[in-house]
Amino acid sequence: MTTSSPASEVADYRSLSLRRAAAPLIGVAIAIILVALVSLLAHQRTEGTLSENLHVVFWYFDVGREYNMATWYGSGLWLLLGTLAAAIAVTRPRFRVSWWLFAVVALIASIDEYLELHERLDVPGGGLADRLPFDVGFTWVLVGAPIALVVGALLLRLVIGLPSRARTGLLVGGGVFAVGAVGVESVNGLILKRRSGIVDNSYIYGTMVEELCEMSGLAIALASVLSLVQRHTGRGIWRLDPQVTGPARPETS
């Protein structure tokens, strides 16, 4: 009777595919944006009852609004990310405190995504903006961006300690999210300000780009954490990547 060597045991474990996990999640985000775009343009080019019905469809998928399918999806991605981080933290992995911090931040972000609590930062951000020699669009960024940098710095050790695929995925996902949440949103704020607060198609299109970046970044981050889960090809056993849990312990018969 032969037994598997430790090396073959390691080789028999396969990580969940980051790309396969991210692709459908990004696909849903693209679908939401397309439904919103098509229904908006159709609403603007029709009249009567048809136009009104198309506007209702647009309202449900408008990424610039609260309490609809778009915000539900974004909030859901954050919720899944936080739940998965908490599940990993429960297993007592390396950097356990950082995993709990990751989970708490993601769960708070899930609430914020649905209720847009970050907009309340406009009050302190407005005071800072008054002292700047240039416009920043949405002033909440002046407070929100430093907070995000601090959180990122606190989680940096955790991210660096992950396997390369997950580490790269989280960095890419975080970068894509930041481009939308800070970069594109700041540009949108300037557009809105220069149009005296009037929302037109250019602002709506910019918001679509912003939210697509945010949802895509979240999808990549969620897929990166999912890639830490491994499955034994022969026995169907699931485990966390040993690089997350620490040195693997020898199995006992």
Side-chain angles (χ1 to χ4, degrees):
M1 181 176 178
T2 60
T3 58
S4 299
S5 67
S8 65
E9 278 292 308
V10 172
D12 286 338
Y13 278 97
R14 295 291 183 271
S15 298
L16 297 181
S17 171
L18 192 159
R19 293 183 180 180
R20 290 182 180 179
L25 296 174
I26 296 175
V28 172
I30 294 174
I32 290 173
I33 298 296
L34 289 177
V35 171
L37 178 61
V38 171
S39 59
L40 170 66
L41 295 177
H43 157 67
Q44 293 174 340
R45 287 164 174 74
T46 55
E47 299 179 353
T49 302
L50 177 58
S51 180
E52 293 175 1
N53 290 337
L54 288 168
H55 185 266
V56 171
V57 175
F58 172 65
W59 188 93
Y60 280 116
F61 289 88
D62 181 10
V63 292
R65 296 181 183 269
E66 301 174 8
Y67 314 120
N68 61 10
M69 290 295 295
T71 51
W72 172 80
Y73 184 66
S75 178
L77 289 176
W78 275 117
L79 180 61
L80 288 174
L81 186 58
T83 301
L84 186 56
I88 293 175
V90 168
T91 66
R92 296 179 177 274
R94 299 171 59 216
F95 311 124
R96 185 187 183 196
V97 174
S98 295
W99 278 111
W100 278 119
L101 175 61
F102 193 173
V104 170
V105 168
L107 293 174
I108 292 175
S110 175
I111 298 172
D112 173 68
E113 182 69 24
Y114 199 72
L115 300 178
E116 294 188 350
L117 298 177
H118 63 271
E119 291 189 353
R120 311 306 187 269
L121 297 177
D122 274 341
V123 176
L128 295 175
D130 291 338
R131 303 175 184 178
L132 296 178
F134 53 86
D135 291 332
V136 294
F138 294 122
T139 57
W140 71 263
V141 172
L142 295 175
V143 180
I147 293 175
L149 287 174
V150 171
V151 172
L154 292 174
L155 294 176
L156 185 60
R157 185 180 67 160
L158 167 64
V159 174
I160 292 176
L162 294 175
S164 60
R165 64 185 180 281
R167 178 174 64 248
T168 301
L170 281 173
L171 292 174
V172 171
V176 172
F177 182 89
V179 166
V182 179
V184 179
E185 177 144 349
S186 295
V187 174
N188 289 342
L190 291 174
I191 292 174
L192 191 63
K193 190 171 183 178
R194 291 172 182 173
R195 285 169 172 71
S196 301
I198 297 175
V199 175
D200 57 10
N201 277 14
S202 62
Y203 175 78
I204 295 175
Y205 298 155
T207 302
M208 289 179 178
V209 173
E210 170 206 334
E211 293 296 333
L212 180 59
C213 287
E214 290 186 15
M215 289 188 287
S216 298
L218 279 173
I220 296 171
L222 178 58
S224 300
V225 178
L226 283 172
S227 74
L228 299 175
V229 178
Q230 297 181 332
R231 182 177 183 274
H232 194 283
T233 55
R235 294 183 287 174
I237 299 173
W238 297 86
R239 73 173 188 183
L240 280 174
D241 190 308
Q243 195 167 333
V244 177
T245 58
R249 296 177 181 177
E251 294 184 0
T252 56
S253 58

